[in-house]
Amino acid sequence: MSTRDHLGSCHCGAVRFACAIDWSRGTSRCNCSVCAKSRFWKAVTPSAVFRLLSGEEALAQYRFGRGEIVHHFCRHCGVKPFGTGAHPALGGPFHAVNVACLDDLDPEALAALPVTFEDGRHDRWDVAPGVTRHL
Ligand SMILES: [Zn+2]
């Protein structure tokens, strides 16, 4: 599976989005303090191919630490459909899309996605943490 267009939403449906995702880049889970608590599962895609369809007024923002990543969550249902940031190594402005918020992938397709683990807790994004089963 390479680049495909997808539709996604938060739980209550206030926030809806469309995006293209290059699945050859894989997906990732991270052990940083916020990803671990929310069990966030992400696919990173350029912001240029992400479009918010509805729910701008429903979105609230959360930042912590250096505040470089903006965590966008629905103020009604609490689900975080995506985070945003900008990093040269990731090709500039990006959306980290919550894979679990995509509405057009069936369980078999989700289960087949490759997952890379990142030791975000120690700012080592290219190294897997020693233990990953809980992420
Ligand atoms: Zn919602």
Side-chain angles (χ1 to χ4, degrees):
M1 196 157 60
S2 55
T3 301
R4 277 183 49 185
D5 293 321
H6 295 280
L7 293 172
S9 61
C10 65
H11 184 261
C12 73
V15 178
R16 294 188 183 281
F17 61 90
C19 63
I21 293 176
D22 177 2
W23 293 108
S24 71
R25 294 178 64 174
T27 69
S28 55
R29 288 184 183 275
C30 165
N31 67 347
C32 84
S33 55
V34 72
C35 286
K37 287 204 170 186
S38 61
R39 306 192 87 236
F40 193 59
W41 181 22
K42 66 186 180 296
V44 176
T45 199
S47 294
V49 296
F50 182 98
R51 196 157 46 97
L52 189 64
L53 301 176
S54 71
E56 186 152 19
E57 70 293 338
L59 283 169
Q61 298 185 357
Y62 176 64
R63 295 174 191 243
F64 72 101
R66 293 187 297 272
E68 293 168 350
I69 305 294
V70 184
H71 305 269
H72 302 266
F73 65 95
C74 174
R75 66 174 85 245
H76 303 295
C77 66
V79 167
K80 173 183 156 185
F82 56 90
T84 54
H87 198 285
L90 294 171
F94 66 84
H95 274 59
V97 175
N98 185 343
V99 174
C101 285
L102 298 175
D103 292 315
D104 46 16
L105 288 175
D106 59 29
E108 288 74 18
L110 289 169
L113 294 173
V115 179
T116 298
F117 292 94
E118 302 167 331
D119 189 4
R121 187 163 295 245
H122 301 103
D123 274 329
R124 299 188 307 172
W125 304 96
D126 54 341
V127 176
V131 180
T132 58
R133 278 195 61 184
H134 62 302
L135 298 174

